[in-house]
Amino acid sequence: MLDVDLSMVNWARAQFALTAMYHWIFVPLTLGLSFLCAFFESIYVRTGNKEWKSITKFWMTLFGINFAIGVATGIILEFEFGTNWSNYSWIVGDIFGAPLAIEGIFAFFLEATFFAVMFFGWNRVSKNFHLFSTWMVAVGSNLSAVWILVANGWMQNPVGMVFNPETARFEMQNFFEVIFNPVAVSKFTHTSSSGFLFACLFILTISCWYLIKERHIEMAKKSIVVASVFGLLSSAYVGFTGDESAYEVAQKQPMKLAAIEGLYQGEKNAPIVAAGILNMDKQPGDNQDPFLVKVEIPYLLSLLANRSFNSFVPGVDDLVYGNKEEGIEGVASKITKGKQALNDLAQFKQARKEKNKEKAEQSLTRFKTNQDYMGYGYLNKPEDAVPSIAIPYYAFHIMVALGTFFPILFIAFLFFSLKGSLTQTKWLLPIGLISSLLGLFAQQSGWVVAEVGRQPWAINGLLPVHVATTNLAARNVQITFFMFLGLFTLLLIAEIKIMLKQISIGPEEGK
Amino acid sequence: MSALLLILYVFLIIVSYKGSIFILKKTDLL
């Protein structure tokens, strides 16, 4: 067994989570606000009304402040692959590195180039070219997200590659299979549109503040209408892509689905848990009830997971200990095969070193029969294949509850806007004011579901996280963890202060 | 399914823009 400092693994995970969660405060706002700025400027170019230009420039200024800090945290994330996850970078760098490189030299350069025109090109380039630049920033920002989510989708569902036993690395075999990985497509569309939704909530928050303070009322009302239409349609699309993402999880990562539903005993006609409190003492294989209390919707989980009411949805126990009736292999047998594969791989390497061709070929043939289970060879016991149940379960249910609330909020804002009584609807404005905080909570919950639910794997089924880290002493990561915590907190405070200053100036004075 | 998701993604942006203009006109804000 590998001699790994587990505290190093946990600190490396904590540092990556810290950086990713800070990064994800800024990114969804960039994804959505870029398109909203394009909408506002399109209306300005279409109408020639200077008020729309002032509205565009106001939201564009907030977009620019946010964009800068999003870039800073994103660059640190990429460096962490090298510093804390060098084994990961070595083993899968040929595949994982490609989309990250494309994101940097293609999508990011596209958005950065047009970003300069968008910001500094007012009155220097034609109206139409400026508008084109704004749209290109929106397209470029979301193209960046495509490549990052192709990389993340590959971690959840590794496709399009082969393992090279001579170098002990995975090598890309089919680039298009990696790009059009169904997990990556559903992940991109779900994540990007949730960014649209979050940006719409951000606009609601600031516009509601203006309406409560009775300042810039016309600008706030116009912004609310555009944000509510985009937000409502995005909410519907987020729900649709969320369903598709859950289906892909059920097919490719059944353990993650079991975790987010707190499902231990698989069943046909499986109900979905609409709400419930987990029994924290419950362990895989014991006879305790997983829930202290729960409310279920009959049959719905089978339908969501397999598109069929009476299909079988495996639980944690089925996946860990196997279920012969349903043809599910237990983890213990996978661990045995995995250890055999690792042993054969070591013998293959030794035989090549000794230039013993015959022995090398025999070892390689044996290795290939079990190589799909190689990752399991690094696990000690079957229960090691189970992620935290409570964290993905609660994060998923918070995300879904908030995702159900947001379209109702957008409908309310549209209803009172159409009625012409939005400024008199005093109860609604404070809800709009805090809505972006709720949106941020939903955003972070989504990533917690995706990444905590993937544990113990860095690459699903192939590479556990404890094998993916750099062989460092934990204190090295601890030092940079607290350094980044301080730095990111300062950046966040700086962003909020600059934004608040800009918001207090408002659109008219800001033009 | 992937193709449908991507087509609907483009539709979402176009329909949101057109829908915004429609509602802005309805509310006399445009």
Side-chain angles (χ1 to χ4, degrees):
Chain A
M1 206 57 222
L2 286 180
D3 180 24
V4 174
D5 178 358
L6 272 181
S7 66
M8 158 60 196
V9 177
N10 290 332
W11 276 102
R13 282 185 63 200
Q15 188 179 99
F16 201 88
L18 171 83
T19 316
M21 289 176 96
Y22 262 97
H23 186 54
W24 201 251
I25 294 171
F26 312 111
V27 172
L29 204 48
T30 297
L31 298 178
L33 213 46
S34 58
F35 272 115
L36 282 156
C37 286
F39 290 176
F40 291 131
E41 190 173 350
S42 296
I43 296 171
Y44 159 60
V45 170
R46 180 190 165 124
T47 61
N49 183 335
K50 290 279 185 190
E51 197 180 350
W52 282 101
K53 184 180 182 182
S54 152
I55 291 172
T56 304
K57 290 183 86 167
F58 173 70
W59 293 115
M60 217 172 253
T61 305
L62 298 185
F63 170 82
I65 297 163
N66 179 70
F67 181 86
I69 300 181
V71 172
T73 48
I75 288 170
I76 293 171
L77 265 180
E78 296 209 0
F79 282 134
E80 283 180 24
F81 285 116
T83 56
N84 298 351
W85 302 95
S86 59
N87 278 342
Y88 175 90
S89 300
W90 164 256
I91 296 167
V92 301
D94 285 358
I95 304 156
F96 194 80
L100 292 190
I102 295 169
E103 188 265 341
I105 58 179
F106 171 60
F108 183 69
F109 277 23
L110 174 73
E111 67 181 303
T113 304
F114 284 106
F115 183 88
V117 179
M118 184 177 96
F119 253 82
F120 306 112
W122 290 104
N123 308 323
R124 288 191 174 89
V125 296
S126 73
K127 255 186 186 181
N128 284 329
F129 185 72
H130 192 279
L131 176 62
F132 173 74
S133 301
T134 304
W135 276 98
M136 281 298 104
V137 169
V139 170
S141 302
N142 283 273
L143 267 180
S144 277
V146 166
W147 296 109
I148 297 298
L149 291 161
V150 161
N152 185 271
W154 187 82
M155 293 169 76
Q156 319 280 350
N157 179 38
V159 291
M161 83 300 182
V162 288
F163 181 74
N164 183 342
E166 292 179 15
T167 57
R169 302 179 71 176
F170 287 96
E171 294 172 356
M172 194 181 296
Q173 197 178 35
N174 188 331
F175 185 55
F176 290 98
E177 213 177 320
V178 174
I179 296 175
F180 294 108
N181 177 356
V183 172
V185 175
S186 62
K187 194 172 262 294
F188 163 69
T189 49
H190 186 61
T191 307
S192 173
S193 56
S194 77
F196 300 167
L197 203 166
F198 179 54
C200 293
L201 294 171
F202 176 77
I203 285 189
L204 281 193
T205 288
I206 294 169
S207 300
C208 284
W209 187 77
Y210 281 142
L211 292 181
I212 290 167
K213 293 284 177 185
E214 298 184 348
R215 294 175 57 198
H216 313 299
I217 288 171
E218 281 304 297
M219 169 267 183
K221 283 159 73 177
K222 288 173 179 175
S223 298
I224 282 174
V225 165
V226 176
S228 296
V229 171
F230 194 27
L232 179 59
L233 293 172
S234 295
S235 299
Y237 186 75
V238 165
F240 178 62
T241 52
D243 169 65
E244 186 59 25
S245 293
Y247 172 74
E248 292 298 342
V249 165
Q251 303 307 309
K252 314 292 191 316
Q253 298 172 287
M255 186 67 87
K256 184 193 280 186
L257 186 81
I260 63 181
E261 275 302 307
L263 181 70
Y264 282 82
Q265 300 293 333
E267 53 185 308
K268 291 186 174 177
N269 308 318
I272 203 164
V273 177
I277 298 170
L278 287 174
N279 173 3
M280 300 304 280
D281 295 330
K282 170 73 179 164
Q283 294 297 323
D286 72 17
N287 291 322
Q288 294 189 68
D289 191 325
F291 287 89
L292 299 176
V293 59
K294 65 178 171 181
V295 178
E296 293 180 328
I297 303 171
Y299 304 111
L300 198 54
L301 186 60
S302 282
L303 181 68
L304 291 177
N306 300 314
R307 307 289 193 236
S308 153
F309 278 117
N310 61 3
S311 62
F312 181 81
V313 180
V316 171
D317 289 352
D318 303 289
L319 295 162
V320 172
Y321 305 112
N323 181 330
K324 276 187 181 170
E325 208 175 298
E326 296 295 334
I328 298 169
E329 185 178 8
V331 175
S333 132
K334 291 180 180 177
I335 288 176
T336 305
K337 290 177 181 174
K339 288 191 186 302
Q340 183 62 56
L342 292 175
N343 190 37
D344 291 332
L345 183 61
Q347 285 186 14
F348 168 73
K349 280 182 177 173
Q350 186 61 33
R352 283 188 79 233
K353 219 178 197 175
E354 295 163 355
K355 299 193 188 309
N356 184 340
K357 222 173 175 182
E358 193 184 346
K359 192 182 169 193
E361 275 178 20
Q362 287 171 350
S363 303
L364 188 59
T365 306
R366 284 200 310 271
F367 168 74
K368 283 183 174 171
T369 57
N370 291 318
Q371 77 169 83
D372 290 348
Y373 300 95
M374 191 169 50
Y376 285 90
Y378 294 109
L379 302 183
N380 281 325
K381 57 186 192 299
E383 291 78 7
D384 288 351
V386 183
S388 158
I389 302 294
I391 296 173
Y393 169 81
Y394 284 115
F396 177 76
H397 285 79
I398 287 168
M399 176 184 73
V400 172
L402 289 169
T404 309
F405 166 70
F406 295 138
I408 297 167
L409 184 70
F410 289 125
I411 288 170
F413 271 97
L414 278 176
F415 175 77
F416 289 107
S417 294
L418 283 164
K419 226 177 142 193
S421 59
L422 186 61
T423 46
Q424 291 88 54
T425 315
K426 299 295 183 194
W427 61 270
L428 184 60
L429 300 180
I431 300 173
L433 189 65
I434 61 156
S435 64
S436 54
L437 271 180
L438 298 176
L440 187 60
F441 209 50
Q443 287 284 336
Q444 300 288 355
S445 297
W447 273 113
V448 167
V449 171
E451 300 304 286
V452 177
R454 196 194 61 234
Q455 301 303 317
W457 305 105
I459 306 292
N460 187 35
L462 294 179
L463 185 71
V465 285
H466 71 267
V467 183
T469 51
T470 306
N471 196 8
L472 281 173
R475 67 174 181 280
N476 294 305
V477 186
Q478 286 169 350
I479 292 165
T480 47
F481 176 89
F482 288 108
M483 217 171 75
F484 287 149
L485 180 63
L487 176 68
F488 295 154
T489 305
L490 280 176
L491 283 174
L492 183 63
I493 292 168
E495 159 154 16
I496 292 170
K497 280 191 82 165
I498 298 166
M499 273 200 180
L500 288 176
K501 188 182 172 192
Q502 205 59 44
I503 292 163
S504 71
I505 292 169
E508 273 88 3
E509 293 84 346
K511 70 182 174 183
Chain B
M1 195 62 189
S2 293
L4 176 66
L5 289 179
L6 292 169
I7 291 165
L8 287 176
Y9 180 81
V10 176
F11 260 85
L12 166 67
I13 292 158
I14 296 167
V15 173
S16 294
Y17 173 61
K18 296 282 186 191
S20 297
I21 288 174
F22 176 75
I23 301 287
L24 284 166
K25 283 180 175 168
K26 278 269 184 194
T27 50
D28 292 330
L29 290 167
L30 190 68

